[in-house]
Amino acid sequence: MGKQKLAIGIDIGGTNIELAWVSPEGKYIKHHSYPTNSFPELPNVINALGDYILEQNQLLDEYDIIGIGIGAPNGNYYKGTIEFAPNLNWEGVLPLVDLFKKKTGLPTCLTNDANAAAYAEMIFGKAQNVKNFAVITLGTGLGSGIVVNGQMLYGHTGFAGELGHTVVIENGRPCGCGKKGCLETYVSATAIVKTMNELFIHSKAESLLSNLEKIEAKDVAIAAEKGDSLALQAFDYTAKILSLQLSDFIALFSPEVIYLSGGLAKSHQILLPLINKYLNQDVLRIFKNTTSVEASQFVDSNSGVIGAAAFAFQELGKN
Amino acid sequence: MGKQKLAIGIDIGGTNIELAWVSPEGKYIKHHSYPTNSFPELPNVINALGDYILEQNQLLDEYDIIGIGIGAPNGNYYKGTIEFAPNLNWEGVLPLVDLFKKKTGLPTCLTNDANAAAYAEMIFGKAQNVKNFAVITLGTGLGSGIVVNGQMLYGHTGFAGELGHTVVIENGRPCGCGKKGCLETYVSATAIVKTMNELFIHSKAESLLSNLEKIEAKDVAIAAEKGDSLALQAFDYTAKILSLQLSDFIALFSPEVIYLSGGLAKSHQILLPLINKYLNQDVLRIFKNTTSVEASQFVDSNSGVIGAAAFAFQELGKN
């Protein structure tokens, strides 16, 4: 019998960079976290993480370490690069795969962070037997990883799956991407705060949140759980807009399941019944009750680094 | 050396049913056409086409006939059925594959008519080396066949790829599907006539078509080719709305090429420059100039029966 395999996952986020050695069962053998802003330049990341990986791999010599999987915003699978990621300080087109390969000598692969969440679901989560599904991450923005016939959708460029930047309201809210009315400006942790603030202006109803100087998505969730009617309205609006776009998404992809993940999806007990109600109204007849919307297996944890490791198993495990 | 292979393609449309024996090079060996309304009931189709197939196959005994591929509106690949097709007289769920298999003894497979157009492009047309593409058929309605990683997109239900019924204008034109603002109500041969009639009402400009009692899509195309300003406006509006939805489509699928087919696409020399202009405005930065919009190889012919045969080669040719 050979050594047990491990994959190294790296999840690069705007706040933290997570690094973990993960078993084929999805368990952490070792886990480490760095604040992203502790690395002013990209070479600092490569050196710090690379050195730590080489050092730890020596201590883990009873394992067969198959390589590194990286999940990152605006990550390009084909090129192994991060390109113009708005939440990261390092600018331009960054050849992470080449740099990590050179530094560590390990096989390395890279994908978009929402795709990594979809790999987590595919390899370790609820989608292990599902061939057509999507994971939608509701965090600062809205990301999506789409799986067709058991394969991640990358498209011609490697950037496919940008559901967050499809337009749901013509001439709607301005988006960081330069367009207007993108789905993520209505459906994300950031967006529900905007919705709540709009409701304050247009409604006379009392709210538990009326006296807070600055509210966060978490506050809206807590208030909604307590039955606050304005906060519940904010969730209702969020679900309504998401369902509008999901009914088109279903007409295109006809997935078996759509999993919700990320901070805002922690409120799935409030969101899911609303989404299902609206979806049932909006969806084309032939698709009625054919797609289930569910919470991700990783809705209460961060699937990023687990997903990056899952991706490494999928991509490098064959070799 | 074995016998030359042939596939039988059947294209079921609202007006005609086409039947052809097609070579692996995409040439007709034999071709026959029936008016759809000559068959009041489904068994009439099975018997007439089945008998003709059996009779002709005997005459074609120097060939190896691999089986039958059917393209039909609302065709379901997984189940081999046509389900609730609005333009056909035969109602309900129709098990065509089972019926043709029983009648002829030949391997038989079925797909949606827009998917058949995509198979035509994949096997015999411009997409022979393209792994990620879509064919959009602009006829009475708007159909789409979407190819991801070289595989037709069917999704969980077999009905994926309903671009025509994604919503482009909220509360827009009523659609036959029961929804409002579906893309096909703005972008199809039927839709451009509606647009033209709206322009007559709202514009004071003279038009070559002003005196016609009833206009057809063809009339709008001919007038536009002659430089008629209202007809050109109708094409401009059609291209603008299509581009709006294609920019979302590209964000999701990132295809290398989108091919336009069907009656309205015959005006590709007018449509394509307009589509490219609007798309360049609408599309997300990372997708700029990554998707080419082109006329299908079959834009001036009917790809239906060729596509149905291409599908048979793809599906049954492996056996």
Side-chain angles (χ1 to χ4, degrees):
Chain A
M1 222 183 85
K3 293 175 176 183
Q4 199 202 333
K5 285 179 195 286
L6 290 186
I8 300 171
I10 299 177
D11 175 42
I12 298 181
T15 311
N16 290 306
I17 297 178
E18 312 249 350
L19 170 62
W21 282 254
V22 177
S23 76
E25 293 76 37
K27 301 284 171 230
Y28 291 145
I29 303 302
K30 191 175 282 285
H31 181 261
H32 199 75
S33 181
Y34 306 82
T36 307
N37 64 15
S38 66
F39 303 113
E41 305 281 349
L42 183 68
N44 307 132
V45 183
I46 309 293
N47 284 325
L49 273 72
D51 286 338
Y52 186 73
I53 286 168
L54 289 170
E55 181 195 307
Q56 295 300 316
N57 279 1
Q58 290 210 326
L59 304 176
L60 293 166
D61 68 351
E62 76 268 33
Y63 295 99
D64 170 17
I65 294 170
I66 63 163
I68 304 173
I70 306 171
N74 285 31
N76 187 297
Y77 167 72
Y78 295 136
K79 298 195 255 170
T81 52
I82 300 181
E83 308 203 357
F84 311 104
N87 300 318
L88 298 175
N89 282 327
W90 326 310
E91 285 169 4
V93 176
L94 313 169
L96 258 79
V97 164
D98 285 349
L99 293 169
F100 269 110
K101 267 188 187 162
K102 203 171 157 196
K103 175 74 189 177
T104 66
L106 291 167
T108 304
C109 53
L110 180 146
T111 196
N112 174 284
D113 48 2
N115 292 345
Y119 281 113
E121 212 69 43
M122 181 198 284
I123 311 287
F124 300 129
K126 292 182 179 176
Q128 291 177 47
N129 295 308
V130 184
K131 289 284 169 211
N132 293 281
F133 70 93
V135 172
I136 298 180
T137 59
L138 303 172
T140 312
L142 184 153
S144 63
I146 303 168
V147 173
V148 170
N149 265 341
Q151 298 172 322
M152 192 64 57
L153 177 66
Y154 285 111
H156 173 54
T157 58
F159 285 123
E162 285 288 346
L163 178 64
H165 295 285
T166 60
V167 175
V168 65
I169 305 276
E170 224 193 313
N171 289 315
R173 293 180 182 169
C175 183
C177 76
K179 295 175 65 174
K180 279 182 175 181
C182 288
L183 185 61
E184 76 168 29
T185 68
Y186 292 89
V187 182
S188 63
T190 318
I192 202 168
V193 171
K194 253 184 217 143
T195 299
M196 195 69 206
N197 284 325
E198 286 181 10
L199 286 169
F200 284 142
I201 295 167
H202 297 108
S203 167
K204 283 168 189 157
E206 286 288 311
S207 167
L208 295 166
L209 302 175
S210 303
N211 297 321
L212 286 184
E213 190 156 319
K214 193 176 171 235
I215 57 168
E216 293 183 9
K218 234 179 280 179
D219 303 318
V220 185
I222 292 166
E225 278 159 29
K226 289 182 181 159
D228 184 82
S229 89
L230 271 198
L232 285 167
Q233 269 185 58
F235 272 99
D236 188 82
Y237 185 70
T238 305
K240 188 177 172 179
I241 300 286
L242 178 57
S243 302
L244 262 183
Q245 206 72 336
L246 287 188
S247 69
D248 284 356
F249 186 85
I250 291 168
L252 290 172
F253 288 99
S254 186
E256 184 172 349
V257 193
I258 295 170
Y259 302 96
L260 302 185
S261 191
L264 188 64
K266 289 193 208 300
S267 302
H268 55 92
Q269 287 183 317
I270 300 170
L271 274 172
L272 291 176
L274 296 167
I275 291 170
N276 281 311
K277 181 186 78 175
Y278 286 117
L279 211 48
N280 209 37
Q281 291 170 18
D282 295 337
V283 91
L284 204 62
R285 174 182 173 177
I286 47 172
F287 298 112
K288 279 226 195 290
N289 303 311
T290 61
T291 300
S292 152
V293 185
E294 300 176 13
S296 159
Q297 169 128 343
F298 303 99
V299 71
D300 292 313
S301 57
N302 177 0
S303 63
V305 69
I306 283 283
F311 169 57
F313 276 118
Q314 176 80 1
E315 198 65 20
L316 310 171
K318 313 152 201 164
N319 307 333
Chain B
M1 225 185 85
K3 293 177 177 180
Q4 199 202 334
K5 286 179 195 286
L6 289 187
I8 300 172
I10 300 177
D11 174 42
I12 298 182
T15 310
N16 289 308
I17 297 179
E18 311 250 350
L19 170 63
W21 282 252
V22 177
S23 76
E25 293 76 38
K27 301 281 170 234
Y28 291 144
I29 302 302
K30 191 174 284 283
H31 180 262
H32 200 75
S33 183
Y34 305 83
T36 307
N37 64 14
S38 66
F39 304 111
E41 307 280 348
L42 184 66
N44 306 133
V45 183
I46 310 293
N47 286 325
L49 273 72
D51 286 336
Y52 187 73
I53 286 169
L54 290 169
E55 180 195 306
Q56 295 299 317
N57 280 0
Q58 290 208 327
L59 305 176
L60 293 165
D61 67 350
E62 75 268 35
Y63 296 99
D64 170 17
I65 293 169
I66 64 163
I68 304 173
I70 307 170
N74 285 30
N76 189 298
Y77 167 69
Y78 295 137
K79 298 195 253 168
T81 52
I82 300 181
E83 309 203 357
F84 311 104
N87 299 322
L88 299 176
N89 284 328
W90 327 308
E91 283 170 6
V93 176
L94 313 169
L96 259 79
V97 164
D98 285 349
L99 294 169
F100 270 110
K101 268 187 189 166
K102 205 173 154 192
K103 175 76 188 173
T104 65
L106 291 168
T108 305
C109 53
L110 180 147
T111 196
N112 172 287
D113 48 1
N115 292 345
Y119 281 112
E121 211 69 44
M122 182 199 283
I123 312 287
F124 300 128
K126 293 184 179 175
Q128 291 178 49
N129 295 307
V130 184
K131 289 284 168 208
N132 293 281
F133 70 94
V135 172
I136 298 180
T137 59
L138 303 172
T140 313
L142 184 154
S144 62
I146 303 168
V147 173
V148 169
N149 264 342
Q151 298 171 322
M152 193 64 57
L153 177 65
Y154 286 111
H156 173 54
T157 58
F159 285 124
E162 285 289 345
L163 179 64
H165 295 285
T166 61
V167 175
V168 65
I169 306 276
E170 224 192 312
N171 289 315
R173 294 180 182 168
C175 182
C177 76
K179 295 175 65 173
K180 280 184 174 179
C182 287
L183 185 61
E184 76 169 30
T185 68
Y186 292 89
V187 182
S188 62
T190 319
I192 202 166
V193 172
K194 255 185 214 142
T195 299
M196 196 68 206
N197 284 325
E198 286 182 11
L199 286 169
F200 283 142
I201 295 169
H202 297 109
S203 168
K204 286 169 190 156
E206 286 288 313
S207 168
L208 294 168
L209 302 175
S210 303
N211 298 322
L212 286 186
E213 191 156 321
K214 192 174 171 239
I215 57 168
E216 294 184 8
K218 234 179 281 178
D219 303 317
V220 185
I222 293 166
E225 278 159 29
K226 289 183 182 157
D228 184 78
S229 92
L230 270 198
L232 285 168
Q233 266 184 61
F235 272 100
D236 188 83
Y237 184 70
T238 305
K240 188 177 172 179
I241 300 285
L242 178 58
S243 303
L244 261 183
Q245 206 72 336
L246 286 188
S247 69
D248 284 357
F249 186 84
I250 290 168
L252 290 172
F253 288 100
S254 186
E256 185 172 346
V257 192
I258 295 171
Y259 302 97
L260 302 185
S261 190
L264 188 64
K266 290 194 209 296
S267 302
H268 55 91
Q269 286 182 318
I270 300 171
L271 273 172
L272 291 176
L274 296 167
I275 292 171
N276 281 312
K277 181 186 77 174
Y278 286 116
L279 211 49
N280 208 36
Q281 292 169 18
D282 294 338
V283 90
L284 204 62
R285 175 181 172 177
I286 47 173
F287 299 111
K288 277 221 195 296
N289 303 313
T290 61
T291 300
S292 151
V293 184
E294 300 177 11
S296 159
Q297 169 127 344
F298 303 98
V299 72
D300 291 315
S301 57
N302 177 2
S303 63
V305 69
I306 283 283
F311 169 57
F313 277 118
Q314 176 80 0
E315 199 63 20
L316 309 171
K318 312 154 198 160
N319 307 334

mmCIF file of all heavy atoms in Angstrom, chain A residues 227-261:
data_model
loop_
_atom_site.group_PDB
_atom_site.id
_atom_site.type_symbol
_atom_site.label_atom_id
_atom_site.label_comp_id
_atom_site.label_asym_id
_atom_site.label_seq_id
_atom_site.Cartn_x
_atom_site.Cartn_y
_atom_site.Cartn_z
ATOM 1 N N GLY A 227 -37.624 38.630 13.798
ATOM 2 C CA GLY A 227 -38.937 38.972 13.270
ATOM 3 C C GLY A 227 -39.096 40.432 12.874
ATOM 4 O O GLY A 227 -40.204 40.885 12.568
ATOM 5 N N ASP A 228 -37.998 41.173 12.823
ATOM 6 C CA ASP A 228 -38.052 42.585 12.423
ATOM 7 C C ASP A 228 -38.618 42.715 11.005
ATOM 8 O O ASP A 228 -38.089 42.126 10.059
ATOM 9 C CB ASP A 228 -36.637 43.174 12.483
ATOM 10 C CG ASP A 228 -36.621 44.665 12.184
ATOM 11 O OD1 ASP A 228 -36.909 45.441 13.109
ATOM 12 O OD2 ASP A 228 -36.336 45.020 11.022
ATOM 13 N N SER A 229 -39.691 43.494 10.872
ATOM 14 C CA SER A 229 -40.411 43.442 9.591
ATOM 15 C C SER A 229 -39.610 44.096 8.457
ATOM 16 O O SER A 229 -39.638 43.628 7.319
ATOM 17 C CB SER A 229 -41.803 44.048 9.725
ATOM 18 O OG SER A 229 -41.769 45.425 9.464
ATOM 19 N N LEU A 230 -38.875 45.165 8.744
ATOM 20 C CA LEU A 230 -38.071 45.779 7.668
ATOM 21 C C LEU A 230 -36.935 44.859 7.229
ATOM 22 O O LEU A 230 -36.643 44.738 6.036
ATOM 23 C CB LEU A 230 -37.497 47.131 8.118
ATOM 24 C CG LEU A 230 -38.332 48.379 7.873
ATOM 25 C CD1 LEU A 230 -37.450 49.618 7.954
ATOM 26 C CD2 LEU A 230 -39.032 48.352 6.529
ATOM 27 N N ALA A 231 -36.298 44.218 8.209
ATOM 28 C CA ALA A 231 -35.210 43.295 7.859
ATOM 29 C C ALA A 231 -35.764 42.128 7.037
ATOM 30 O O ALA A 231 -35.133 41.677 6.069
ATOM 31 C CB ALA A 231 -34.520 42.791 9.120
ATOM 32 N N LEU A 232 -36.957 41.661 7.411
ATOM 33 C CA LEU A 232 -37.572 40.581 6.626
ATOM 34 C C LEU A 232 -37.914 41.060 5.214
ATOM 35 O O LEU A 232 -37.777 40.307 4.248
ATOM 36 C CB LEU A 232 -38.823 40.045 7.338
ATOM 37 C CG LEU A 232 -38.526 39.158 8.551
ATOM 38 C CD1 LEU A 232 -39.786 38.922 9.391
ATOM 39 C CD2 LEU A 232 -37.917 37.808 8.117
ATOM 40 N N GLN A 233 -38.334 42.313 5.107
ATOM 41 C CA GLN A 233 -38.574 42.881 3.772
ATOM 42 C C GLN A 233 -37.303 42.898 2.929
ATOM 43 O O GLN A 233 -37.341 42.663 1.724
ATOM 44 C CB GLN A 233 -39.087 44.316 3.883
ATOM 45 C CG GLN A 233 -40.598 44.441 3.935
ATOM 46 C CD GLN A 233 -41.007 45.920 3.929
ATOM 47 O OE1 GLN A 233 -40.677 46.679 3.013
ATOM 48 N NE2 GLN A 233 -41.714 46.326 4.961
ATOM 49 N N ALA A 234 -36.179 43.213 3.594
ATOM 50 C CA ALA A 234 -34.899 43.243 2.865
ATOM 51 C C ALA A 234 -34.566 41.846 2.329
ATOM 52 O O ALA A 234 -34.127 41.690 1.186
ATOM 53 C CB ALA A 234 -33.783 43.757 3.767
ATOM 54 N N PHE A 235 -34.804 40.822 3.153
ATOM 55 C CA PHE A 235 -34.572 39.450 2.678
ATOM 56 C C PHE A 235 -35.555 39.074 1.579
ATOM 57 O O PHE A 235 -35.199 38.400 0.615
ATOM 58 C CB PHE A 235 -34.674 38.452 3.845
ATOM 59 C CG PHE A 235 -33.362 38.269 4.556
ATOM 60 C CD1 PHE A 235 -33.089 38.946 5.739
ATOM 61 C CD2 PHE A 235 -32.385 37.452 4.016
ATOM 62 C CE1 PHE A 235 -31.857 38.790 6.375
ATOM 63 C CE2 PHE A 235 -31.156 37.289 4.648
ATOM 64 C CZ PHE A 235 -30.891 37.961 5.830
ATOM 65 N N ASP A 236 -36.792 39.509 1.727
ATOM 66 C CA ASP A 236 -37.787 39.191 0.719
ATOM 67 C C ASP A 236 -37.379 39.786 -0.642
ATOM 68 O O ASP A 236 -37.431 39.108 -1.674
ATOM 69 C CB ASP A 236 -39.148 39.757 1.144
ATOM 70 C CG ASP A 236 -40.264 39.290 0.236
ATOM 71 O OD1 ASP A 236 -40.754 38.168 0.446
ATOM 72 O OD2 ASP A 236 -40.627 40.029 -0.710
ATOM 73 N N TYR A 237 -36.934 41.037 -0.623
ATOM 74 C CA TYR A 237 -36.505 41.697 -1.865
ATOM 75 C C TYR A 237 -35.292 40.983 -2.464
ATOM 76 O O TYR A 237 -35.224 40.742 -3.677
ATOM 77 C CB TYR A 237 -36.183 43.166 -1.568
ATOM 78 C CG TYR A 237 -35.834 43.981 -2.788
ATOM 79 C CD1 TYR A 237 -36.795 44.305 -3.743
ATOM 80 C CD2 TYR A 237 -34.528 44.441 -2.982
ATOM 81 C CE1 TYR A 237 -36.471 45.055 -4.854
ATOM 82 C CE2 TYR A 237 -34.197 45.202 -4.100
ATOM 83 C CZ TYR A 237 -35.177 45.498 -5.031
ATOM 84 O OH TYR A 237 -34.851 46.235 -6.141
ATOM 85 N N THR A 238 -34.345 40.624 -1.604
ATOM 86 C CA THR A 238 -33.146 39.903 -2.052
ATOM 87 C C THR A 238 -33.535 38.591 -2.738
ATOM 88 O O THR A 238 -33.033 38.264 -3.822
ATOM 89 C CB THR A 238 -32.242 39.605 -0.836
ATOM 90 O OG1 THR A 238 -31.974 40.836 -0.158
ATOM 91 C CG2 THR A 238 -30.938 38.954 -1.255
ATOM 92 N N ALA A 239 -34.451 37.853 -2.101
ATOM 93 C CA ALA A 239 -34.880 36.563 -2.647
ATOM 94 C C ALA A 239 -35.627 36.746 -3.967
ATOM 95 O O ALA A 239 -35.463 35.963 -4.906
ATOM 96 C CB ALA A 239 -35.769 35.844 -1.639
ATOM 97 N N LYS A 240 -36.421 37.798 -4.027
ATOM 98 C CA LYS A 240 -37.218 38.058 -5.229
ATOM 99 C C LYS A 240 -36.302 38.336 -6.429
ATOM 100 O O LYS A 240 -36.501 37.789 -7.527
ATOM 101 C CB LYS A 240 -38.124 39.258 -4.965
ATOM 102 C CG LYS A 240 -39.136 39.522 -6.040
ATOM 103 C CD LYS A 240 -40.015 40.686 -5.643
ATOM 104 C CE LYS A 240 -40.910 41.078 -6.807
ATOM 105 N NZ LYS A 240 -41.795 42.189 -6.435
ATOM 106 N N ILE A 241 -35.302 39.185 -6.214
ATOM 107 C CA ILE A 241 -34.393 39.530 -7.307
ATOM 108 C C ILE A 241 -33.538 38.322 -7.693
ATOM 109 O O ILE A 241 -33.322 38.042 -8.878
ATOM 110 C CB ILE A 241 -33.484 40.716 -6.888
ATOM 111 C CG1 ILE A 241 -34.324 41.937 -6.541
ATOM 112 C CG2 ILE A 241 -32.469 41.022 -7.985
ATOM 113 C CD1 ILE A 241 -34.919 42.656 -7.707
ATOM 114 N N LEU A 242 -33.070 37.579 -6.692
ATOM 115 C CA LEU A 242 -32.275 36.386 -7.007
ATOM 116 C C LEU A 242 -33.102 35.397 -7.824
ATOM 117 O O LEU A 242 -32.620 34.830 -8.812
ATOM 118 C CB LEU A 242 -31.762 35.720 -5.720
ATOM 119 C CG LEU A 242 -30.955 34.433 -5.912
ATOM 120 C CD1 LEU A 242 -29.744 34.648 -6.806
ATOM 121 C CD2 LEU A 242 -30.501 33.855 -4.569
ATOM 122 N N SER A 243 -34.359 35.211 -7.447
ATOM 123 C CA SER A 243 -35.210 34.239 -8.151
ATOM 124 C C SER A 243 -35.458 34.654 -9.598
ATOM 125 O O SER A 243 -35.505 33.799 -10.491
ATOM 126 C CB SER A 243 -36.545 34.082 -7.427
ATOM 127 O OG SER A 243 -36.311 33.674 -6.100
ATOM 128 N N LEU A 244 -35.641 35.951 -9.817
ATOM 129 C CA LEU A 244 -35.778 36.461 -11.186
ATOM 130 C C LEU A 244 -34.631 35.964 -12.063
ATOM 131 O O LEU A 244 -34.836 35.444 -13.156
ATOM 132 C CB LEU A 244 -35.703 37.992 -11.188
ATOM 133 C CG LEU A 244 -36.969 38.802 -11.210
ATOM 134 C CD1 LEU A 244 -36.622 40.285 -11.284
ATOM 135 C CD2 LEU A 244 -37.833 38.411 -12.410
ATOM 136 N N GLN A 245 -33.406 36.134 -11.543
ATOM 137 C CA GLN A 245 -32.250 35.772 -12.345
ATOM 138 C C GLN A 245 -32.056 34.253 -12.379
ATOM 139 O O GLN A 245 -31.645 33.708 -13.399
ATOM 140 C CB GLN A 245 -30.997 36.486 -11.795
ATOM 141 C CG GLN A 245 -29.926 36.714 -12.819
ATOM 142 C CD GLN A 245 -30.305 37.798 -13.837
ATOM 143 O OE1 GLN A 245 -31.488 38.089 -14.068
ATOM 144 N NE2 GLN A 245 -29.294 38.389 -14.433
ATOM 145 N N LEU A 246 -32.396 33.580 -11.267
ATOM 146 C CA LEU A 246 -32.255 32.115 -11.257
ATOM 147 C C LEU A 246 -33.223 31.458 -12.231
ATOM 148 O O LEU A 246 -32.921 30.390 -12.777
ATOM 149 C CB LEU A 246 -32.460 31.552 -9.855
ATOM 150 C CG LEU A 246 -31.325 31.789 -8.856
ATOM 151 C CD1 LEU A 246 -31.588 31.003 -7.559
ATOM 152 C CD2 LEU A 246 -29.959 31.418 -9.428
ATOM 153 N N SER A 247 -34.373 32.074 -12.468
ATOM 154 C CA SER A 247 -35.301 31.435 -13.407
ATOM 155 C C SER A 247 -34.710 31.456 -14.820
ATOM 156 O O SER A 247 -34.888 30.504 -15.581
ATOM 157 C CB SER A 247 -36.682 32.073 -13.346
ATOM 158 O OG SER A 247 -36.635 33.375 -13.860
ATOM 159 N N ASP A 248 -33.963 32.507 -15.154
ATOM 160 C CA ASP A 248 -33.244 32.519 -16.432
ATOM 161 C C ASP A 248 -32.075 31.526 -16.405
ATOM 162 O O ASP A 248 -31.814 30.824 -17.394
ATOM 163 C CB ASP A 248 -32.676 33.911 -16.732
ATOM 164 C CG ASP A 248 -33.749 34.880 -17.191
ATOM 165 O OD1 ASP A 248 -34.914 34.457 -17.349
ATOM 166 O OD2 ASP A 248 -33.426 36.058 -17.391
ATOM 167 N N PHE A 249 -31.397 31.486 -15.285
ATOM 168 C CA PHE A 249 -30.263 30.567 -15.129
ATOM 169 C C PHE A 249 -30.717 29.116 -15.323
ATOM 170 O O PHE A 249 -30.052 28.324 -16.001
ATOM 171 C CB PHE A 249 -29.665 30.773 -13.729
ATOM 172 C CG PHE A 249 -28.408 30.001 -13.466
ATOM 173 C CD1 PHE A 249 -27.175 30.503 -13.852
ATOM 174 C CD2 PHE A 249 -28.439 28.772 -12.817
ATOM 175 C CE1 PHE A 249 -26.002 29.797 -13.608
ATOM 176 C CE2 PHE A 249 -27.283 28.058 -12.571
ATOM 177 C CZ PHE A 249 -26.055 28.571 -12.972
ATOM 178 N N ILE A 250 -31.869 28.789 -14.752
ATOM 179 C CA ILE A 250 -32.418 27.435 -14.871
ATOM 180 C C ILE A 250 -32.813 27.148 -16.328
ATOM 181 O O ILE A 250 -32.592 26.054 -16.836
ATOM 182 C CB ILE A 250 -33.595 27.241 -13.895
ATOM 183 C CG1 ILE A 250 -33.068 27.224 -12.450
ATOM 184 C CG2 ILE A 250 -34.392 25.970 -14.207
ATOM 185 C CD1 ILE A 250 -34.134 27.316 -11.385
ATOM 186 N N ALA A 251 -33.380 28.148 -17.005
ATOM 187 C CA ALA A 251 -33.744 27.966 -18.419
ATOM 188 C C ALA A 251 -32.511 27.673 -19.273
ATOM 189 O O ALA A 251 -32.583 26.938 -20.252
ATOM 190 C CB ALA A 251 -34.475 29.198 -18.949
ATOM 191 N N LEU A 252 -31.368 28.224 -18.892
ATOM 192 C CA LEU A 252 -30.144 27.968 -19.648
ATOM 193 C C LEU A 252 -29.481 26.656 -19.242
ATOM 194 O O LEU A 252 -29.102 25.862 -20.090
ATOM 195 C CB LEU A 252 -29.156 29.129 -19.458
ATOM 196 C CG LEU A 252 -29.554 30.448 -20.115
ATOM 197 C CD1 LEU A 252 -28.612 31.564 -19.687
ATOM 198 C CD2 LEU A 252 -29.533 30.306 -21.633
ATOM 199 N N PHE A 253 -29.313 26.417 -17.937
ATOM 200 C CA PHE A 253 -28.496 25.289 -17.476
ATOM 201 C C PHE A 253 -29.295 24.080 -16.999
ATOM 202 O O PHE A 253 -28.757 22.990 -16.924
ATOM 203 C CB PHE A 253 -27.587 25.736 -16.320
ATOM 204 C CG PHE A 253 -26.462 26.629 -16.758
ATOM 205 C CD1 PHE A 253 -26.531 28.002 -16.619
ATOM 206 C CD2 PHE A 253 -25.327 26.076 -17.333
ATOM 207 C CE1 PHE A 253 -25.495 28.827 -17.024
ATOM 208 C CE2 PHE A 253 -24.280 26.892 -17.738
ATOM 209 C CZ PHE A 253 -24.362 28.266 -17.587
ATOM 210 N N SER A 254 -30.531 24.286 -16.593
ATOM 211 C CA SER A 254 -31.330 23.200 -16.018
ATOM 212 C C SER A 254 -30.525 22.363 -15.023
ATOM 213 O O SER A 254 -30.372 21.143 -15.192
ATOM 214 C CB SER A 254 -31.889 22.312 -17.137
ATOM 215 O OG SER A 254 -32.769 21.344 -16.595
ATOM 216 N N PRO A 255 -29.996 22.975 -13.952
ATOM 217 C CA PRO A 255 -29.218 22.211 -12.974
ATOM 218 C C PRO A 255 -30.137 21.399 -12.050
ATOM 219 O O PRO A 255 -31.311 21.742 -11.903
ATOM 220 C CB PRO A 255 -28.502 23.303 -12.168
ATOM 221 C CG PRO A 255 -29.422 24.481 -12.240
ATOM 222 C CD PRO A 255 -30.116 24.399 -13.584
ATOM 223 N N GLU A 256 -29.594 20.343 -11.476
ATOM 224 C CA GLU A 256 -30.377 19.559 -10.525
ATOM 225 C C GLU A 256 -30.483 20.306 -9.191
ATOM 226 O O GLU A 256 -31.537 20.314 -8.566
ATOM 227 C CB GLU A 256 -29.700 18.191 -10.317
ATOM 228 C CG GLU A 256 -30.496 17.261 -9.422
ATOM 229 C CD GLU A 256 -29.915 15.857 -9.393
ATOM 230 O OE1 GLU A 256 -29.023 15.547 -10.213
ATOM 231 O OE2 GLU A 256 -30.358 15.056 -8.532
ATOM 232 N N VAL A 257 -29.372 20.916 -8.770
ATOM 233 C CA VAL A 257 -29.358 21.657 -7.498
ATOM 234 C C VAL A 257 -28.573 22.953 -7.665
ATOM 235 O O VAL A 257 -27.585 23.004 -8.401
ATOM 236 C CB VAL A 257 -28.693 20.842 -6.359
ATOM 237 C CG1 VAL A 257 -28.978 21.496 -5.003
ATOM 238 C CG2 VAL A 257 -29.127 19.396 -6.350
ATOM 239 N N ILE A 258 -29.018 23.996 -6.975
ATOM 240 C CA ILE A 258 -28.232 25.226 -6.810
ATOM 241 C C ILE A 258 -27.948 25.348 -5.319
ATOM 242 O O ILE A 258 -28.876 25.382 -4.498
ATOM 243 C CB ILE A 258 -28.997 26.466 -7.319
ATOM 244 C CG1 ILE A 258 -29.213 26.367 -8.829
ATOM 245 C CG2 ILE A 258 -28.245 27.741 -6.962
ATOM 246 C CD1 ILE A 258 -30.154 27.421 -9.403
ATOM 247 N N TYR A 259 -26.666 25.331 -4.948
ATOM 248 C CA TYR A 259 -26.270 25.440 -3.543
ATOM 249 C C TYR A 259 -25.882 26.881 -3.234
ATOM 250 O O TYR A 259 -25.122 27.499 -3.993
ATOM 251 C CB TYR A 259 -25.062 24.545 -3.254
ATOM 252 C CG TYR A 259 -25.296 23.086 -3.561
ATOM 253 C CD1 TYR A 259 -24.883 22.542 -4.787
ATOM 254 C CD2 TYR A 259 -25.936 22.250 -2.654
ATOM 255 C CE1 TYR A 259 -25.099 21.205 -5.082
ATOM 256 C CE2 TYR A 259 -26.160 20.905 -2.948
ATOM 257 C CZ TYR A 259 -25.736 20.395 -4.160
ATOM 258 O OH TYR A 259 -25.949 19.075 -4.453
ATOM 259 N N LEU A 260 -26.376 27.391 -2.106
ATOM 260 C CA LEU A 260 -25.996 28.737 -1.681
ATOM 261 C C LEU A 260 -24.925 28.653 -0.613
ATOM 262 O O LEU A 260 -25.025 27.845 0.320
ATOM 263 C CB LEU A 260 -27.205 29.500 -1.143
ATOM 264 C CG LEU A 260 -28.385 29.661 -2.101
ATOM 265 C CD1 LEU A 260 -29.451 30.546 -1.468
ATOM 266 C CD2 LEU A 260 -27.938 30.243 -3.431
ATOM 267 N N SER A 261 -23.908 29.485 -0.744
ATOM 268 C CA SER A 261 -22.798 29.484 0.192
ATOM 269 C C SER A 261 -22.408 30.931 0.505
ATOM 270 O O SER A 261 -22.980 31.860 -0.052
ATOM 271 C CB SER A 261 -21.635 28.723 -0.457
ATOM 272 O OG SER A 261 -20.628 28.462 0.477
#
